Amino acid sequence: SAAEMADTGRYRSAVNKSKDPSGLLISVIRTLSSSEDVQDRETEKGRLEEAYEKCDHDLDELIVQHYTELTTAIRTYQSITERITSSRNKIKQVKENLLSCKMLLHCKRDELRKLWIEGVEHKHVLSLLDEIENIKQVPQKLEASMASKHYLHATDMLVSAVDSLEGPLLQVEGLSDLRLELHSKKLNIHLVLIDELHRHLYIKSTSRVGHRGKDKDKGRSASKDTSVLDVSLSTPCKLTEPLQFSTPGTSSIRELQEVKEDLDVDPEENSAEFMGILIKALAKLKKIPETIKAIMERLEPELKQILKRSTTQIADHAYQRGENLAQDKQPRLLLELLELLFDKLNAVAQAHSVVLSHLQQIVVSRNGAQEGIKLYEHADVYAKIQTVLQVLLMDYLDVKNTRSAAEPSAQLSYASTGGDFGAFFAKKKPLRPKQSLFKFESSSHAISMSAYLREQRRELYSKSGELQGGADDNLIEGGETKFLCKPGARNITVIFQPLLRFIQEIESRMGPAQAKQCQLRTFLTYYINDLFLSQVRTETNKEIEAVTKVSDPLKILASADTMKNLGVQRPLLQSTVVVEKSIQDLMSLMQDLSAYSNQFLEMVCDKLKEYKEICNSLSSSAHCKWPAYEILKTFI
């Protein structure tokens, strides 16, 4: 009926408006309780049943429509529920186990601590055993590194091994022999490093010196056998010329600190870096003071060895050109020797600059404070170079004989730093010359041995360019070294200009205060002013007096051969020829020693004036028909 439909609609609207099922139930209960008529209750009951049936029908339709999704949701929910239940059970079991472990660990606490300590000890023992195994291989690895000249790697390995043996492994009795062996090697390895440093300072640095002038020397040896090794000589190089080293001014601190050792390349490929590696290794050994002391002690002997090797090299070079050293004795060989020495000494000075740069970086600590190690200076190197050259010049210029022939009142006008310089001027008792009864130098055995030794030196020249042995066998006689040319004062005329240039180069590298005290310049000035000029004056006077202090010098005429050689027709006095020869000699000296041309010019004027007076006195006393101007006419 219409009333029922209205009630049903009202109920549905109530159901739609009410989202809470409990509210709907309360509404139904209130309706039933407020109704007094049984019929109304039945009607409300019927409407409620109809609504339930409608809901069931709708629910069944929805279930049919969404059966698959519903089934999946139910199963998923069931699975999640089971997993949650299982997880709860496992967590409960883990909690129980943790409580049990905690109880057991608390009971075994001391035993566990003991086991943990034993585990740590076993790990330490294993690391010590590994270290012992490595240290046992150190002697073999050290020998291999030393053989390949990777000295920095060898030093690091040796220092680390000795520190371990004297530290953590000190109580290991089985390593006592190895400890003594490595400790001994550590005490002596710096001697090997110092020897290597000196080899690069004095041999490796000069190994290429003498090859830059091959083209220059080819012209002289073009007619010789091309198979003979040409040990060419070059003109003196500037101290600023980069040989195989860089000057210390071009090396920055960063570059010096980045010197590292590469185990895959030849360590001696770069000599400057190799010397830096040696200095680093010596610093790790804490032997820098001993290194500086050794450098200073061996500086002069090493320079003298360079002098001996250079003398031998020049002698062999002359022999290869077919010159007889015993007969020629030309001052040109002395000039070649000095030019070669200048090149080598320049190279040595530059090598010392590199060493000083590395030493400076080692000595200065990270915070910039000095560690109290006193370094040697460039001036020390130049001083020793000057000393060695000075002794060489004194030998070849025959200073001892010149001193005895000079005026007795001549005194040494300066203080020399050379140790043996004063001994050359000291008065000594004349020694009787020792004459040998016979010699073996011309025997077949000596000649064949000399040829063999020269051949061996040629091989050394071809390999390294530097003779590394001792002096030439033909340059030694009676324990003394022979000279490349005859010693004499006139040798200064050949070597004066190159020597003066070398002195100027040295002074340019030294400080102003040190340049004023240049030992070599002082010696050269003293020698020429006080010895050489005096000797030239004495020799000239003797030559002129020999032809003028005779009974009748105006009757002694020049020979026909002399007149022919001079290209003159008129007769000349022998005294005129001698004076002219002396004047020409003084003019040659004026050109060779241009710095002293004024002194020689004064000598020329004095000798002309003296000879004119002699001629005037002779012509007037003997009433000679030749006046003095006629005598000097041809000469003037």
Side-chain angles (χ1 to χ4, degrees):
S1 64
E4 292 178 356
M5 292 180 62
D7 294 336
T8 303
R10 186 175 62 255
Y11 178 75
R12 289 181 177 177
S13 62
V15 172
N16 291 334
K17 291 179 180 180
S18 179
K19 299 295 183 181
D20 189 2
S22 60
L24 180 60
L25 181 60
I26 293 173
S27 176
V28 171
I29 294 173
R30 186 182 297 113
T31 302
L32 292 176
S33 61
S34 63
S35 178
E36 296 179 357
D37 189 1
V38 177
Q39 183 66 31
D40 291 337
R41 292 178 182 177
E42 290 295 333
T43 302
E44 187 67 27
K45 180 180 178 183
R47 287 198 302 267
L48 183 60
E49 289 177 356
E50 182 181 358
Y52 273 120
E53 289 177 1
K54 181 64 177 176
C55 289
D56 289 338
H57 178 72
D58 293 339
L59 181 61
D60 292 338
E61 289 181 354
L62 291 175
I63 289 174
V64 171
Q65 293 177 3
H66 301 282
Y67 178 78
T68 305
E69 290 83 352
L70 182 59
T71 304
T72 303
I74 293 174
R75 289 177 179 176
T76 303
Y77 177 78
Q78 184 179 2
S79 174
I80 292 173
T81 305
E82 291 176 356
R83 291 172 63 182
I84 290 175
T85 304
S86 176
S87 298
R88 287 178 177 176
N89 294 332
K90 289 181 179 179
I91 289 174
K92 183 179 179 180
Q93 184 68 28
V94 167
K95 287 182 179 180
E96 293 177 356
N97 292 336
L98 286 175
L99 292 174
S100 177
C101 288
K102 182 178 180 181
M103 185 180 298
L104 294 174
L105 289 174
H106 184 74
C107 297
K108 301 289 185 178
R109 180 175 56 184
D110 296 335
E111 185 177 352
L112 289 174
R113 182 182 290 110
K114 181 180 178 181
L115 292 175
W116 177 78
I117 294 174
E118 289 180 356
V120 173
E121 291 176 352
H122 285 311
K123 287 183 179 179
H124 184 65
V125 170
L126 289 176
S127 64
L128 291 179
L129 290 176
D130 293 337
E131 190 173 357
I132 290 173
E133 289 296 328
N134 294 330
I135 289 178
K136 288 173 64 177
Q137 299 176 5
V138 166
Q140 183 179 358
K141 294 180 179 178
L142 182 64
E143 184 178 356
S145 298
M146 295 294 290
S148 62
K149 296 189 177 182
H150 292 100
Y151 295 116
L152 185 58
H153 177 68
T155 303
D156 290 336
M157 181 168 49
L158 180 59
V159 171
S160 176
V162 172
D163 291 343
S164 297
L165 289 172
E166 294 181 353
L169 303 179
L170 182 61
Q171 304 299 327
V172 181
E173 297 295 336
L175 298 177
S176 57
D177 294 339
L178 182 60
R179 184 181 299 107
L180 292 176
E181 179 184 356
L182 294 182
H183 186 71
S184 176
K185 289 182 181 295
K186 183 182 177 182
L187 292 177
N188 297 322
I189 190 175
H190 73 282
L191 300 176
V192 178
L193 302 182
I194 292 175
D195 288 340
E196 284 290 331
L197 182 62
H198 280 81
R199 187 174 66 85
H200 275 257
L201 275 174
Y202 301 104
I203 294 180
K204 193 72 174 180
S205 64
T206 59
S207 61
R208 296 189 60 82
V209 172
H211 291 274
R212 296 189 299 274
K214 280 189 175 182
D215 296 336
K216 174 182 175 182
D217 199 59
K218 274 184 181 178
R220 289 186 300 179
S221 60
S223 59
K224 304 298 178 182
D225 185 6
T226 57
S227 63
V228 178
L229 176 63
D230 182 15
V231 184
S232 58
L233 306 172
S234 62
T235 57
C237 68
K238 298 288 184 182
L239 281 175
T240 55
E241 177 185 351
L243 295 175
Q244 66 188 93
F245 303 101
S246 60
T247 56
T250 60
S251 298
S252 64
I253 296 178
R254 182 181 57 82
E255 291 173 348
L256 291 175
Q257 290 177 346
E258 289 178 356
V259 174
K260 295 182 180 180
E261 188 176 37
D262 190 351
L263 300 180
D264 298 328
V265 299
D266 183 9
E268 296 184 285
E269 184 176 356
N270 189 322
S271 186
E273 291 184 1
F274 184 72
M275 288 191 292
I277 288 173
L278 291 175
I279 296 298
K280 272 192 172 183
L282 289 167
K284 289 182 180 293
L285 294 170
K286 299 181 180 179
K287 296 294 183 180
I288 294 297
E290 290 82 353
T291 302
I292 297 173
K293 181 180 178 182
I295 289 176
M296 293 308 299
E297 289 177 351
R298 294 174 60 171
L299 178 56
E300 187 171 350
E302 291 287 354
L303 293 176
K304 290 181 179 179
Q305 288 298 321
I306 290 178
L307 171 60
K308 290 183 180 180
R309 293 194 295 268
S310 300
T311 303
T312 302
Q313 188 172 343
I314 296 299
D316 284 350
H317 187 208
Y319 175 80
Q320 293 166 16
R321 294 195 302 259
E323 300 176 5
N324 190 341
L325 192 63
Q327 295 178 0
D328 295 340
K329 298 282 185 180
Q330 300 177 8
R332 176 181 54 79
L333 297 179
L334 174 60
L335 178 60
E336 292 183 7
L337 174 62
L338 283 181
E339 288 177 345
L340 181 61
L341 277 177
F342 292 159
D343 281 347
K344 291 186 176 182
L345 295 178
N346 288 343
V348 169
Q350 291 184 3
H352 274 283
S353 298
V354 174
V355 170
L356 280 172
S357 299
H358 289 293
L359 285 174
Q360 186 67 27
Q361 300 306 316
I362 295 297
V363 170
V364 177
S365 60
R366 293 182 179 179
N367 56 5
Q370 293 288 335
E371 294 182 355
I373 300 176
K374 184 179 180 181
L375 297 177
Y376 69 101
E377 300 178 354
H378 296 283
D380 300 326
V381 179
Y382 293 132
K384 292 299 182 181
I385 288 176
Q386 294 179 70
T387 299
V388 172
L389 286 176
Q390 178 177 300
V391 174
L392 174 69
L393 293 174
M394 292 175 68
D395 289 338
Y396 275 96
L397 297 178
D398 200 12
V399 174
K400 185 166 56 177
N401 291 338
T402 303
R403 176 67 181 88
S404 61
E407 298 177 0
S409 60
Q411 299 295 329
L412 190 63
S413 59
Y414 70 96
S416 170
T417 57
D420 299 333
F421 184 74
F424 283 95
F425 297 93
K427 293 183 178 180
K428 299 180 181 179
K429 295 182 179 180
L431 299 177
R432 295 179 61 185
K434 295 182 180 180
Q435 298 181 354
S436 57
L437 298 178
F438 51 85
K439 299 179 180 178
F440 293 98
E441 60 182 10
S442 298
S443 64
S444 59
H445 174 74
I447 293 175
S448 60
M449 181 58 67
S450 300
Y452 171 74
L453 293 177
R454 283 196 180 94
E455 191 67 29
Q456 294 297 316
R457 284 194 296 275
R458 283 185 199 173
E459 295 181 1
L460 288 176
Y461 291 147
S462 61
K463 291 179 179 179
S464 63
E466 169 71 14
L467 181 65
Q468 300 182 15
D472 186 8
D473 54 294
N474 281 346
L475 294 176
I476 296 179
E477 180 182 358
E480 296 183 358
T481 303
K482 284 187 177 182
F483 296 99
L484 294 173
C485 66
K486 184 178 180 180
R490 292 304 177 103
N491 289 335
I492 190 64
T493 60
V494 181
I495 65 175
F496 177 76
Q497 297 297 340
L499 183 60
L500 191 60
R501 287 195 299 270
F502 183 72
I503 291 174
Q504 292 172 352
E505 292 168 5
I506 288 181
E507 290 176 341
S508 66
R509 294 297 301 273
M510 300 169 66
Q514 297 169 344
K516 292 181 180 179
Q517 301 176 355
C518 181
Q519 174 184 345
L520 204 56
R521 181 180 287 277
T522 307
F523 165 76
L524 185 62
T525 303
Y526 166 79
Y527 172 75
I528 294 179
N529 287 333
D530 294 358
L531 299 181
F532 182 73
L533 292 177
S534 176
Q535 183 184 14
V536 171
R537 188 178 293 106
T538 302
E539 291 177 354
T540 305
N541 291 337
K542 286 182 179 179
E543 291 176 355
I544 295 177
E545 289 177 359
V547 294
T548 56
K549 297 295 182 65
V550 294
S551 59
D552 194 357
L554 297 180
K555 293 183 179 180
I556 303 177
L557 301 177
S559 63
D561 294 337
T562 303
M563 295 179 62
K564 182 178 180 181
N565 293 333
L566 294 176
V568 296
Q569 300 297 329
R570 300 177 62 181
L572 293 175
L573 293 176
Q574 180 66 22
S575 60
T576 303
V577 175
V578 172
V579 172
E580 194 272 341
K581 182 180 179 182
S582 299
I583 297 301
Q584 291 294 335
D585 181 52
L586 291 174
M587 293 174 64
S588 298
L589 292 175
M590 192 183 304
Q591 295 178 354
D592 295 334
L593 306 177
S594 58
Y596 299 88
S597 56
N598 291 335
Q599 288 87 332
F600 292 114
L601 181 59
E602 291 178 0
M603 288 186 190
V604 171
C605 295
D606 292 342
K607 297 311 167 187
L608 287 175
K609 184 177 180 181
E610 290 176 6
Y611 186 61
K612 179 182 177 181
E613 293 175 354
I614 291 172
C615 291
N616 281 331
S617 63
L618 290 175
S619 61
S620 61
S621 62
H623 303 287
C624 179
K625 61 181 180 180
W626 295 343
Y629 74 89
E630 288 291 342
I631 297 175
L632 297 174
K633 184 176 181 180
T634 305
F635 173 71
I636 297 175

